[in-house]
Amino acid sequence: MPNRSSTTKIIFLLRLIEACIGSKSLKQGKIIHQCILKLIGEDFGSQSPHLDKLVRFYLSCNRHQLAHRVFNSIPNHSRKNKTILWNQIIRAYAWDGPFEKAVDLYNEMVDTGVIPTKYTFPFVLKACSTLQDVDSGVKIHGHAKRYNLENDVYVCTALVDFYVKCGYLVEAREVFDGMPRRDVVAWNAMAAGFSLHGLCLDAIGLVSEMQNKGVEPNSSTIVAIMPSIAETCRLREGRAAHGFCLRRDFHDDVVVGTGLLDMYGKCGKLVHAKHLFKTLALKNEITWSAMIGAFVTCDYVEEALELFKKMRMEASMTPSPVMLATVIRGCAKLNDLNVANQIHCYTFKSGYVSDIIVCNTLLSLYAKCGSMNYMIKFFQEMQAKDSVSYSAIITGCVQNGNAEDALQMFHKMQLSGFEPELATMMGFLPACSQLSALQHGICGHGYSVVRGFESNVSLSNALIDMYNKCGKIEEARLVFDKMHGRDVVSWNAMLVGYGIHGYGKEAILLFQNMQNEGAQPDYVTFVALLSACSHSGLVSEGKYLFHVMSQEFKILPRMDHYFCMVDLLGRAGLLDEAHNFVSTMPFEPDAHLWNALLSACRIHKNIELGEAVSKKIQSLGPSSTGNFVLLFNMYTTAHRWDDAAVVRITQKDLGFRKRPGCSWIEVNGIIHAFVGGDRSHPQFAMINKKLDELDVEMKIMGYSAESDFVYQDVEEEEKEKILLYHSEKLAVAFAIISLKAHKPIIVTKNLRVCGDCHTALKYMTIIAKREITVRDTSRFHHFREGICSCGEFW
DNA sequence: ATAGGGTTAG
């Protein structure tokens, strides 16, 4: 027990402490604390009122744990009356962490019998949302009711904020709707919540609602809904918000200004974004980042990189990982491996290679620059991977034509314990499309439904494409019909489906539906339509569509459209018309387009024009082996072996090789691939036996190997063998022996199906009594009872 | 306030 003189000393010391609270001098405070301890010994009890000051002092120095320790030394009967101190320590923990301690202390407070106040709840709830500790938050909500604070504006706003940040929007809305009085902070919390969870239209709607209710938005309101306006490209609302800021004088605030700048960038209004950037009095790193992002989004990558350089030089700011990710996203648009390597080096030097967001952006960069090797290598080097990393690499594989690797990565991802997300499925489903892997695709569909991804328009579009490419056009249409909101991609995907199945009339019908529903077609729509006409031989319809495209829909024809038209006219045998059409083009035709004409020349055996076209192609420089193959095929079809030989020699001299034909089929979720003459399949003996059987029966029915399709100058018997082992025949024979009779056979080929195979497959449908479908690079061939659905348009 | 993975055509 201290004596009188020590009491005087303590009082003196506590005065000193009070002074320290103002000056936040931790060192001096600690010394004074020691002095007090010496004076009063271990018996704090009687001195506890004075210890409050020490607690406050430590809190003012941000030493929550020390403050807490002093607070704990006060006996419980005395702590009971110190609600404000409880609140202050909880607040300190909720602000800076450790956040668990805020929740623990709150629980201790309630257990001690201290009644929390309306100021307690916002703090502890903030800690709960930071921890994503829903259980504690819900319990605390119960306490608020118990203490009759459920109608308090502060408490309710805190509850809304808590529920929103934990993703419980229904509960948030319930609390919000139940509030007897709502101030601007409450409205902002709700709007920010909608914004945060991508419910953009709800967020925007809420702001008009609040204005109708007579509550004036403030700058936080603007900041809260700006991302929603940006994401939905609601330029009208964006402009209105900008005007509001000008009238209220918010516009010079960095946060508001940056939000507006970002919104204009995302809405494609680069001029406005640039203007804001120029006029904003105070800019920070985020402002610069938003401006660079605006350039990238609007495809002004050079300008973005320039500004990035300028920032480092003139403003001498160091970029944050967020900014670096934006810059890398820009680099990806350049499709230049050198740039990719440069920015990778820069990232390495900057020390951000451990930032997962930056790393994932780098993955996507390499994927878009077409470098599978760098992408895989970097992926393996990454110390930390998450589901986004896997999604990026899956999409990267698909983008580079390695769908099988994509499926493997998808499998590996799950083994690593990551659940596929929406964007993962956006990579997985196109992989199934590419492979015609129907069984994987169906699993993906099921999973997407379970996860609720089906409501996403883009995902449904990917499903439509998957079913179309797997030959299940009816399923595709079911998905299409079930969709709530369709975008232009949905229509296009379905149109493409009809096109590749040879349903030209259905495509045109769907286009009419599209117009009736007021959907605006784009240039892809017309590519799809024209190619559908081409595959169905609808010449006049195609010509009409080409005409209305520019006249009515104001869409300028591009190379693809001209290509489709040449293809359409050429296949139909209108070679001169096709040739004339090319000469009317407003820009130079490319080799690809001439190829379409050359291909038509081959089908219709017009050697004269074919040679002229071929010369044209050669003058453009040999850009692909396709030219040689076509010319070669044309000569051989005409039995002009010498000319054919010259082409083959030239091709060899120039170092071009024919791409090997490859066909594959999915059996029980496993992809079996065959190349021409392939004997490597484990069941080759059985396949061979089946092929021989089929060959005998086909010949009885009148089939003779069309050796014209063998362009090697070898003996007739040898030619037959080569044809019999064409990859599509191998795949079909394998399918017949390994799939039950009622199962459909769907074979996919990486090139156009060969003419001899096309004939042979017709016989095979009769012999094997089953339907066979082959998807080649341009369309589906459904063989049934000796007929192919393509009607020889391929 | 800025930030990573995404659908259709050739």
Side-chain angles (χ1 to χ4, degrees), chain A residues 26-46:
Chain A
L26 183 64
K27 212 170 167 186
Q28 288 170 18
K30 273 189 171 171
I31 296 168
I32 298 164
H33 186 183
Q34 293 303 318
C35 295
I36 296 175
L37 282 181
K38 268 185 199 149
L39 281 169
I40 62 177
E42 290 308 308
D43 181 18
F44 291 167
S46 60

Side-chain angles (χ1 to χ4, degrees), chain A residues 291-305:
Chain A
M291 190 62 232
I292 293 173
F295 276 127
V296 171
T297 305
C298 298
D299 290 327
Y300 285 82
V301 180
E302 299 294 339
E303 285 80 352
L305 294 180

Side-chain angles (χ1 to χ4, degrees), chain A residues 53 113 227 288 614 757:
Chain A
K53 291 203 172 68
W288 283 79
S614 168
C757 290

